Structures are given as C-alpha cells and as structure tokens.
C-alpha cells in the first residue's frame, strides 16, 4: 500500500474515533442537561429535608434519600468485607483445583445474572426463609449479593497485582501469612479494591428491581429506625411517582428533582471514593 | 584460627517435582564473613540461597533432602519453626522492594511483627537499623516520607535496614546490586564489608569482580552442583577446577 | 549460526602482550649476547650499539607495563588471564634489568678493547650460551605453557653459578701471581658476576612463568640442587 493511501486511512479512522467520542459525550451531556434543567426547579432545602406529603404529590424526598443511604450502608457493610475476604481466599489460599475454579465461575456468573433474579432470591431467602421480612436488612443484603461479584472481581485483580516482592520481603522477616496479608498485601491493594467498591456503590444506589420485593416501601411515613423496618429508596420512589401516582403530570418536577438528587448522590459517593483513593496513592508514592 | 561455621549443608538436594535443581550440596559458610555464590544463570545458586531460610517452602513442588545445619540445628528437621528461622536468617532481594509506606514504617515492620509496640523502643531500632545500613544521615529528616520516593540505591539500603531491624544472625543477599547503578553498587558493596562484622553474609552475584571484591569465601555453582569452593583470593587467581577457570575467564556462562 | 566468540578480543589482546614480551626478551637476550661478543672480539662498535640500544629497551618495558595496566582496567581479568598479565608485567621488569646487565658487559667491552687478553676466554662464552639457553627455554615455556621446560631452564642456573665461581677462582690465582693484571682480572670477574646475575633474573622469569601456568607459587631453588650440596656464597 502506498504511503499517501495509508496516511488517508489513518486520518479517516482518527476522524471516526473522534466523532464517536464526541457523540458519546454529547449524549451524556444531553441527558445530564435534561435532568438538571427539569429537576433544578424542584430542588430546595425543604425538598431534601421534608418527607413526601399529600399522597406524595407535595413535600420532599427526605425519607427515600435517607433510605437509599441506609441501603448503601447495609449492602456495603455486607458485601465489602465478604467480597474482599473471598478474594483474599481465592488469591492467597486457594490452590488451583476443581473447588476454586467452580467458586470463580460462580462469582463470574453471578455478575451476569439479571438484577430481578436477585430480587426474587432475596424475597425467598432473606424475606421468607430467614424471616427478615420486607425490610432494610433484606433489601440491603440482596443489593449486597448483587454487587458481591463486582467487589470480588476487583479485589482479586487488585490482590494479584500486588508484587510478589512485597510478600517475599515480609515472609523473609518472619511474618506469618496472615500478618503478610493484613499488613502488606491488603494495604497495597486497597486503592484498587476501593475502585471496585465505588462501582458497587453506584449500582447499589441505582438498582430498583432487587429491592421491590425485599424491602422497598411504596410509602413510609418516617425513616426506618431499625434494620427490620421497610425503607423508601430513591430509585423506587422515582418509579412510583412516574407510574403509580395519582397525579403523574403534576409531580413531574418532583420526579426530575428526585432523579437529580439520586444522580448527585451516586456521583458524590464516587467522588469521595476517588479522592480518598488518590490521597492513599499520594501517600504511598511521593 | 579457623572461623566458626555458621551454616553447614551436607548432601543437600533440592527437587522441583521430578527436576533436581541442586545435587549433593556440601558447603560450610563461616560466621561473620561474606560467602559469595557465583555461576551462570540457572545454575541453582539463587535456589540454594532460598533453601537457607526456607523461602522455597512457598513452591509447592519443592522438596529438600539432606541436611542444612544452622548452628548445628537441622533447619529442615521436625519441629523447626520457619517463622523463627526467617527471623534468624534475613534476606535482601534482587530488586529493591520497600513496602509502599513510609521509611519509618518499613524499618519498623519487622520488629512490630514480632510484637514490639513500645514507641521509644521502635524509634531506637529504626535509627539503629538505618545507621547500620548507612542510610540514617540521608533520611533522618524525612522518616515519614514514602519509601518509594528514595532512589534505587537508597531503597536497597532501606531494605537492608529493614532486614537487620529484626536482628538476624545471617543475611542472605540475592543479587542485591543487579538493579543499581555503579555508584549505588559501590555503596552497597562497602556496606556489605561493614555488615560482616555483625552478620554472616551469603551473597549471590552475577558480577565476578563484585564477588572478588567483597567476599571472603566463594563457591562456584554449575548445573545444580558446587564445582569448587575456597577462599575468594585463591579461587579467582588460581582456581583448581578447569570449569571454574573457564567460567571466571569468560569461556562460558 | 556460529556462536559469538566472547574470548576473541581478550585473547587477541593477550596474544599482543605475549608478542611484545617475546620481542623484549629477544632484545634483552641480544644485549647480553652482543655485549659479551663485543668483549670477546674487542668490538667497540658493537659494544656502543648495545649501550645505545638501552633506551629503546627501557621504552618498550614501559609500553608493556602500560598495556598490562590497560588490559587489567579493560577486562578485569581473572584466574589464568590475571596470572598471565601479572607475569608479563613482572617479567618485563626482569627483562629490562637483563638488558641493563648486557649494557654493563658492553661497557667492560669498551673499557677492555685494545688491551691484550690475560687469558683465552672460554668460560665466559660458555656462560653466555647457558644464559641464552635458559632465557630461550623460559620464554618457550611461557608461550607453550610448558612446566617442565621452565623447570629445566631453572636447573641450568647451577651450571652458570659453577662457571662463575670457576672464573673467580681462576682470576684470583692469576692476579695473585701477576698483580699487573688486576684491572683486567677484576673486570672479568665482574663480567662473570654480571652474567650470573642475568641468569638469576631468568630464574625469576621462570618462577613467574610457573605461577602463570599452574597458579602455584614456585621457588626456582626447588628445581635446582639442594642448598647443602651447593657451595653458595650466601647471597
């Protein structure tokens, strides 16, 4: 092929990639702008601090907002330690065998299961079998199961990426395996594990299907005060307002406002995580 | 006066599954002296070093036959506490591998492992170890800085400080200067000369001149066997075995 | 594909060093030989040549020394290579001294030229031949790595020592009988002593050669008659 034609081809591909990227950015910006434009008018201090009133046609979103935060907390409190420890087992202890491979396969498959299936599982297992009822606990644990593969996968990758050198150095000083993992391997892998956790929070905050059957309430007059009470959650609240309300058109601003708050919540959690990770990395490098 | 023997191996074999990596290794490593292991790549010298603090235990298929006596005790004997052994026989690796933490935390890591929590005691150990590794003056004002901000040569001396912080008796060094520039290498070599006043040093090196410069005894490994051992001075001027001669004059390897 | 010969450069450099040393040995030997020939044949011109040639010998010695240092700096030799270079460096110094001794003999040749011989010179040429044989043998041993030849060369030193003592006794007797020949007599004694010292330097060379070959420190005396049977003058 001649040099000019190769050059032309290169230009075409470059132009194509740039326009694709521009399209994606425009699309995202469009969605964001649309939400902000429609939702901003609804936002106020009262909107954030007042519970919904008058059959949810007025008032704020205090209850679902706190409910979502509670769900995130329960889900992560379950999924983070379990996920990380599973990964530690897989990376540090498990020998390559049938059991390990099955376990890995199971974790990978879990990631591909539709979220509604988790909802049904949560309903039958947490709500019915364990008798937690439709509650914050059941919904949180279900969400935890949903993001477990994300955390396990990210943690496994992070742990495997810790250089063998660090382990060698630790063992060579007479450290036990657990000391080595706790004091060297986990700290070194922590920033990357955090990345997985951040992604998981995003999913937990946004999912609707798993919580409908397990603990998300159509309406509760107040914030859940125990793990066994049902909670309202932002995504389900949006669904309810948009489909089941008595005055769907009247509540449009509230719907968009809620969407905007959910978006900000997810972005906010992500941002905090990213900043924290950056700080950790800074401390370790220079 | 013959020096005391710190480590003595007798008919030591190392197997990886069906592959015999080391054959009938008999060697005496004198106390408070530097013993160098030289030989071409893959001759087993690094594997041998790792047998001396049982770092090969991590390779599931590795098996050691014969005896490795440390102060007369077989470290492969029943009831040997590997954790205690590694505290007694420290190791420094080919690439500087400080933990991604502060200089202070790196040096304090080992003592903390072994249960030292008193702040003042730790301060003393950190300073003493850094002095012992000739790094104190360079880092005393930035002990809280990340270890990874140090230069390669400083990192390697930090690793030496970290290793000696648990007060080992033997220091194994696996090509400790192969990733360093000449000046940093020279500093490590000078340090090794000082270290041998307190420690028994066993060092693997690809650099024959380095072995000649810093060691008292040298062992030449070839294909998993020891071809020749002897005082460094003699081995490098008048090797007895033709294969040693050929290797150190660059005829192979 | 042919293997890269990693020894090529180092071997070529060593060969060059050996060649330089051989050349120096040839000239140092020639200085002694010519000096002695000039003495025996009253050849002033040849004697002058020997004396003038000393500068070149000194220069070559320095050159070899330079080359040895450069070789060590460039290759950091070990084992046999190291011993060979060390031997060459030391041997060059001994050869330079042998050259100086040749010059000393040549100076006597100049001094004695034109004067009648006090006696026919038999033992001195014989010493010269033995010296040459020792030197040639030692250098051959060096080039061929032949231990036995080096030891054999050392053994000749005994014969040279015997001849030196013979010359000494003979001249002493003649000088006692005829004090007028004391000047010539002492000159010849000195020449004999000079040749004996040149041969001693050759035994040094042989020791270096043996060390280069075997790596063991050898003393030339161990290849010669036991000390007790030699009426050594203790020097």
């Amino acid at each position: 092929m001649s040099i000019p034609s190769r050059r032309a081809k290169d230009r075409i591909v470059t132009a194509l990639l740039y326009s694709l990227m521009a399209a994606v950015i425009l699309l995202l910006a469009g969605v964001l702008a649309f939400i902000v434009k429609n939702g901003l008018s609804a936002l106020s201090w009262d909107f954030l601090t007042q519970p919904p009133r008058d059959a949810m046609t007025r008032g704020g979103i205090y209850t679902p907002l706190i409910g979502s935060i509670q769900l995130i907390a329960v889900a992560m409190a379950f999924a983070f330690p379990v996920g990380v420890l599973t990964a530690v087992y897989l990376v540090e202890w498990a020998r390559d065998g049938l059991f390990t491979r099955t376990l890995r396969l199971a974790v990978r498959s879990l990631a591909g299961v539709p979220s509604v299936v988790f909802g049904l599982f949560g309903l039958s297992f947490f709500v019915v079998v364990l008798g937690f009822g439709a509650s914050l606990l059941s919904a949180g644990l279900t969400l935890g199961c949903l993001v477990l593969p994300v955390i396990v996968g990210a943690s496994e990758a992070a742990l495997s990426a810790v250089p063998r050198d660090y382990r060698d150095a630790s063992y060579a000083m007479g450290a036990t395996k657990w000391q080595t993992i706790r004091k060297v391997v986990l700290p070194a892998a922590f920033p990357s594990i955090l990345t997985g956790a951040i992604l998981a929070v995003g999913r937990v905050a946004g999912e609707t299907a798993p919580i409908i059957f397990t603990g998300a309430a159509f309406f509760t007059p107040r914030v859940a005060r125990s793990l066994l009470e049902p909670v309202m959650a932002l995504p389900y609240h949006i669904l309810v307002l948009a489909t089941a309300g008595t005055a769907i058109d009247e509540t449009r601003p509230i719907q968009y406002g809620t969407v905007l708050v959910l978006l900000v919540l997810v972005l906010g959690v992500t941002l905090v995580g990213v900043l924290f990770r950056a700080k950790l990395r800074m401390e370790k490098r220079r | 006066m013959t020096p005391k023997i710190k480590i003595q191996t007798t008919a030591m074999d190392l197997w990886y599954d069906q592959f015999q990596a080391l054959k009938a290794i008999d060697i005496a490593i004198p106390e408070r002296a530097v013993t160098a292991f030289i030989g071409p790549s893959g001759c087993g010298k690094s594997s041998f070093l790792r047998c001396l603090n049982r770092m090969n235990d991590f390779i599931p298929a590795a098996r050691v036959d014969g005896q490795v006596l440390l102060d007369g005790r077989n470290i492969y004997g029943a009831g040997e506490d590997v954790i205690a052994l590694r505290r007694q026989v420290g190791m420094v690796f080919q690439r500087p591998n400080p933990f991604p933490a502060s200089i202070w935390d790196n040096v304090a890591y080992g003592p903390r492992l072994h249960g030292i929590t008193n702040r003042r005691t730790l301060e003393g150990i950190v300073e003493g170890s850094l002095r012992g590794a000739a790094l104190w003056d360079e880092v005393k004002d930035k002990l809280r800085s990340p270890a990874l901000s140090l230069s390669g040569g400083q990192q390697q001396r930090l690793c030496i400080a970290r290793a000696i912080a648990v007060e080992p008796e033997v220091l194994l060094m696996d090509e400790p200067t192969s990733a360093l520039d000449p000046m940093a290498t020279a500093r490590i070599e000078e340090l090794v000369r000082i270290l041998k006043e307190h420690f028994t040093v066993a060092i693997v090196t690809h650099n024959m001149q380095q072995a000649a410069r810093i060691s008292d005894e040298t062992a030449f490994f070839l294909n998993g066997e020891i071809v020749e051992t002897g005082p460094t001075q003699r081995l490098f001027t008048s090797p007895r075995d033709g294969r040693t001669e050929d290797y150190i004059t660059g005829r192979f390897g | 594909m042919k293997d890269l010969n990693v020894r090529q450069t180092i071997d070529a450099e060593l060969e060059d060093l050996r060649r330089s040393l051989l050349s120096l040995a040839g000239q140092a030997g020639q200085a002694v030989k010519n000096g002695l020939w000039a003495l025996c044949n009253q050849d002033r011109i040849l004697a002058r040549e020997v004396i003038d040639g000393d500068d070149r010998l000194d220069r070559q010695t320095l050159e070899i020394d330079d080359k040895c240092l450069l070789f060590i700096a460039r290759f950091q030799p070990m084992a046999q290579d190291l011993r060979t270079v060390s031997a060459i460096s030391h041997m060059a110094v001994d050869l330079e001294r042998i050259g100086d001794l040749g010059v000393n003999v040549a100076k006597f040749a100049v001094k004695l030229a034109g004067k009648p011989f006090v006696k026919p010179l038999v033992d001195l040429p014989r010493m010269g031949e033995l010296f040459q044989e020792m030197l040639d043998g030692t250098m051959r041993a060096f080039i061929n790595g032949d231990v036995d030849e080096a030891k054999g060369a050392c053994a000749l030193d005994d014969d040279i020592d015997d001849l030196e003592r013979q010359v000494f006794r003979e001249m002493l007797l003649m000088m006692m009988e005829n004090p007028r020949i004391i000047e010539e007599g002492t000159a010849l004694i000195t020449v004999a002593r000079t040749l004996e010292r040149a041969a001693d330097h050759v035994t040094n060379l042989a020791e270096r050669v043996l060390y280069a070959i075997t790596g063991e420190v050898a003393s030339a005396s161990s290849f010669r008659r036991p000390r007790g049977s030699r009426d050594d003058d203790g020097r």
Side-chain angles (χ1 to χ4, degrees):
Chain A
M1 214 195 294
S2 69
I3 290 179
S5 75
R6 274 159 54 195
R7 206 168 275 158
K9 206 169 195 174
D10 187 54
R11 287 211 188 102
I12 292 169
V13 172
T14 309
L16 192 70
L17 290 174
Y18 270 100
S19 32
L20 276 174
M21 187 183 72
V24 169
I25 290 175
L26 275 176
L27 205 66
L28 276 172
V31 171
L32 272 176
F34 181 72
I35 293 170
V36 171
K37 180 177 159 282
N38 289 304
L40 209 54
S41 62
L43 284 194
S44 67
W45 185 243
D46 282 350
F47 186 65
L48 293 178
T49 55
Q50 296 298 319
R53 276 185 287 118
D54 300 348
M56 292 189 276
T57 56
R58 303 241 197 104
I61 52 165
Y62 179 69
T63 348
L65 175 60
I66 296 303
S68 268
I69 293 172
Q70 286 172 323
L71 281 173
I72 291 173
V74 172
M76 293 315 287
F78 164 68
F80 190 74
V82 172
V84 171
L85 289 177
T86 305
V88 166
Y89 169 78
L90 283 174
V91 173
E92 303 288 340
W93 266 281
R95 298 221 172 146
D96 199 34
L98 190 64
F99 178 68
T100 313
R101 258 178 281 168
T102 315
L103 194 61
R104 271 211 179 89
L105 187 68
V107 170
R108 300 243 162 86
S109 320
L110 270 185
V113 171
S115 56
V116 68
V117 176
F118 279 96
L120 292 170
F121 165 75
L123 173 64
S124 60
F125 188 64
F126 297 123
V127 178
V128 179
V129 175
L130 296 183
F132 295 155
S135 63
L136 169 59
L137 184 61
S138 298
L141 291 176
T142 307
L143 286 171
C145 292
L146 179 78
V147 294
L148 206 50
V150 178
I151 293 177
V152 173
S155 307
E156 242 195 295
L159 291 169
S160 313
V162 173
R164 162 112 230 131
D165 294 7
Y166 292 169
R167 295 165 220 258
D168 278 352
S170 175
Y171 288 132
M173 272 177 280
T176 61
K177 188 162 190 161
W178 177 236
Q179 281 177 320
T180 301
I181 290 166
R182 191 165 54 88
K183 298 191 170 173
V184 176
V185 179
L186 278 177
F190 197 67
S192 303
I193 292 177
L194 211 54
T195 309
I198 292 167
L199 288 173
V201 167
R203 278 203 75 183
V204 167
E207 282 291 344
T208 316
I211 55 174
I212 296 178
F213 312 124
T214 53
F218 183 82
F219 177 78
T220 57
R222 57 175 174 84
V223 166
R225 292 205 184 125
S226 91
L227 284 172
L228 293 174
E229 281 176 33
V231 288
M232 293 182 76
L234 289 174
Y236 186 49
H237 190 58
I238 294 165
L239 182 72
V240 167
L241 289 179
T243 59
T246 45
I248 292 171
D249 287 324
E250 274 173 53
T251 57
R252 282 289 180 224
I254 300 181
Q255 289 167 32
Y256 283 115
T258 313
V259 169
L260 185 58
V261 170
L262 178 58
L263 210 63
V264 170
L265 177 68
V266 172
L267 286 179
V269 171
T270 309
L271 191 68
V272 168
V274 168
L275 289 178
F276 183 52
R277 187 181 62 189
K279 182 171 163 282
L280 280 181
R281 288 212 165 121
M282 284 282 253
E283 274 168 12
K284 280 168 188 175
R285 308 288 151 181
R286 62 187 62 237
Chain B
M1 189 190 95
T2 47
K4 184 175 169 267
I5 297 303
K6 187 72 185 173
I7 297 176
Q8 170 79 56
T9 73
T10 322
M12 198 205 89
D13 297 332
L14 172 67
W15 295 82
Y16 295 125
D17 259 334
Q18 296 303 303
F19 171 71
Q20 188 168 11
L22 292 171
K23 293 163 207 156
I25 302 295
D26 292 320
I27 188 174
I29 297 175
E31 187 171 44
R32 284 167 211 254
V34 180
T35 303
F37 304 140
I38 60 166
S41 298
C43 65
K45 56 194 190 300
S46 282
S47 299
F48 176 65
L49 201 69
R50 284 164 176 270
C51 286
L52 301 182
N53 65 345
R54 292 187 55 172
M55 285 296 275
N56 281 334
D57 287 12
F58 295 111
I59 302 162
R63 194 180 85 239
V64 171
D65 295 337
Q67 276 193 326
V68 180
L69 301 180
L70 173 68
D71 291 331
R73 168 184 105 234
N74 186 7
I75 64 169
Y76 284 90
E80 174 69 22
D81 178 355
V82 182
I83 304 297
L85 167 72
R86 297 210 186 104
R87 187 178 177 176
Q88 209 179 349
V89 184
M91 192 163 200
V92 174
F93 299 84
Q94 191 169 353
R95 275 188 310 160
N97 56 355
F99 301 129
S102 72
I103 294 169
W104 200 93
D105 285 335
N106 262 280
V107 183
Y109 178 81
R112 279 172 167 163
L113 284 182
H114 300 293
I116 297 174
T117 50
N118 182 291
R119 187 79 193 173
R120 187 131 335 141
T121 314
L122 283 173
E123 302 273 2
I125 293 173
V126 169
E127 178 172 345
S129 306
L130 286 169
R131 280 190 194 281
L135 190 61
W136 175 251
D137 290 335
E138 290 160 65
V139 302
K140 63 171 181 243
D141 298 324
K142 50 175 186 177
L143 295 173
R144 293 283 154 204
S145 307
L148 295 173
S149 67
L150 296 174
S151 73
Q154 289 174 325
Q155 288 189 17
Q156 192 62 299
R157 275 180 286 149
L158 177 63
C159 291
I160 292 172
R162 186 177 60 183
I164 63 180
V166 296
E167 296 173 344
E169 291 158 27
V170 181
L171 209 48
L172 307 175
M173 304 183 123
D174 189 358
E175 297 185 46
T177 64
S178 63
L180 304 181
D181 66 42
M183 203 54 217
T185 299
R187 289 206 182 92
I188 300 274
E189 287 181 7
E190 209 46 54
L191 177 56
V192 169
R193 251 190 287 270
I194 298 168
L195 287 172
K196 77 171 177 183
E197 288 170 22
H198 304 284
F199 306 96
T200 300
V201 180
I203 183 168
V204 165
T205 175
H206 264 129
N207 180 333
M208 275 177 292
Q209 277 74 28
Q210 178 170 80
R213 280 193 295 272
I214 64 178
S215 71
D216 303 296
E217 295 281 320
T218 300
F220 171 53
F221 280 73
L222 185 64
N223 299 328
E225 287 174 89
I226 289 187
V227 170
E228 184 168 354
T229 64
T232 300
Q233 201 186 332
R234 206 232 346 109
L235 196 118
F236 282 110
T237 53
S238 308
R240 297 209 170 116
D241 194 292
R243 290 168 294 175
T244 317
E245 168 89 36
D246 287 350
Y247 178 69
I248 65 178
T249 55
R251 284 181 174 80
F252 73 85
Chain C
M1 202 183 92
K2 229 182 90 182
D3 262 355
L4 207 56
N5 182 2
V6 292
R7 290 282 309 178
Q8 196 163 331
T9 315
I10 193 170
D11 281 340
E13 296 277 338
L14 268 178
E15 192 49 45
D16 179 53
L17 269 174
R18 279 198 200 93
R19 232 187 277 277
S20 304
L21 189 77
L22 268 190
S23 154
L24 183 67
Q27 290 173 59
Q30 200 71 30
V32 173
K33 191 176 173 187
N34 286 351
L36 197 58
W37 202 89
L39 182 85
C40 298
N41 297 282
Q42 307 216 320
D43 187 339
R44 261 206 192 105
I45 297 168
L46 185 61
R48 279 268 159 241
E49 263 178 38
V50 172
I51 295 165
D52 295 343
D54 192 44
D55 284 348
R56 202 183 51 203
L57 221 82
D58 290 352
R59 219 170 35 242
Q60 279 185 326
T61 305
L62 287 177
E63 270 171 31
I64 290 179
D65 211 42
D66 267 0
K67 279 190 197 170
C68 286
L69 287 181
L70 195 61
F71 182 91
I72 291 169
R74 285 173 63 201
F75 297 101
Q76 286 124 44
M78 292 276 191
Q80 182 146 35
D81 297 339
L82 181 61
R83 300 198 307 267
T84 303
V85 179
S86 160
I88 290 174
S89 180
H90 280 99
M91 287 165 79
V93 175
D94 274 314
L95 287 169
E96 192 259 342
R97 291 292 301 141
I98 289 173
D100 288 348
L101 295 173
V103 169
N104 288 352
V105 175
K107 281 179 180 162
F108 279 110
V110 173
K111 204 171 172 184
L112 297 181
K115 292 182 183 164
F117 289 123
V118 294
K119 72 169 222 91
L121 299 181
V122 181
D123 293 334
L124 287 183
R126 176 76 195 120
M127 283 177 82
E129 281 162 27
L130 281 172
F131 161 80
Q132 199 66 44
E133 208 179 320
M134 277 178 80
L135 181 61
D136 291 350
T138 303
M139 294 314 289
R140 263 201 312 278
F142 179 58
I143 296 302
N144 301 329
D146 187 335
V147 174
D148 292 336
E149 178 133 40
K151 289 179 180 172
C154 278
L156 292 179
D157 195 41
D158 289 329
D159 298 344
I160 291 191
D161 287 355
D162 289 348
L163 283 170
E164 189 239 348
R165 270 183 289 274
Q166 196 169 309
V167 171
F168 180 75
R169 282 193 213 99
E170 192 179 14
M171 295 319 295
L172 206 60
L173 282 175
M174 283 177 73
M175 287 188 288
M176 274 154 62
E177 279 167 20
N178 181 5
R180 271 169 307 167
I181 63 160
I182 282 182
E183 194 188 344
E184 291 88 339
T186 46
L188 292 181
I189 287 174
T190 311
V191 168
R193 164 118 310 163
T194 305
L195 291 173
E196 188 270 333
R197 278 171 61 201
D200 282 349
H201 280 290
V202 179
T203 60
N204 285 351
L205 295 181
E207 283 173 3
R208 291 286 162 190
V209 169
L210 285 169
Y211 179 67
I213 301 170
T214 63
E216 268 150 47
V217 180
S219 164
S221 56
S222 52
F223 316 120
R224 295 160 58 184
R225 283 176 306 209
R227 276 200 178 263
S229 69
R230 259 177 11 215
D231 53 346
D232 224 318
D233 56 9
R235 262 188 330 114

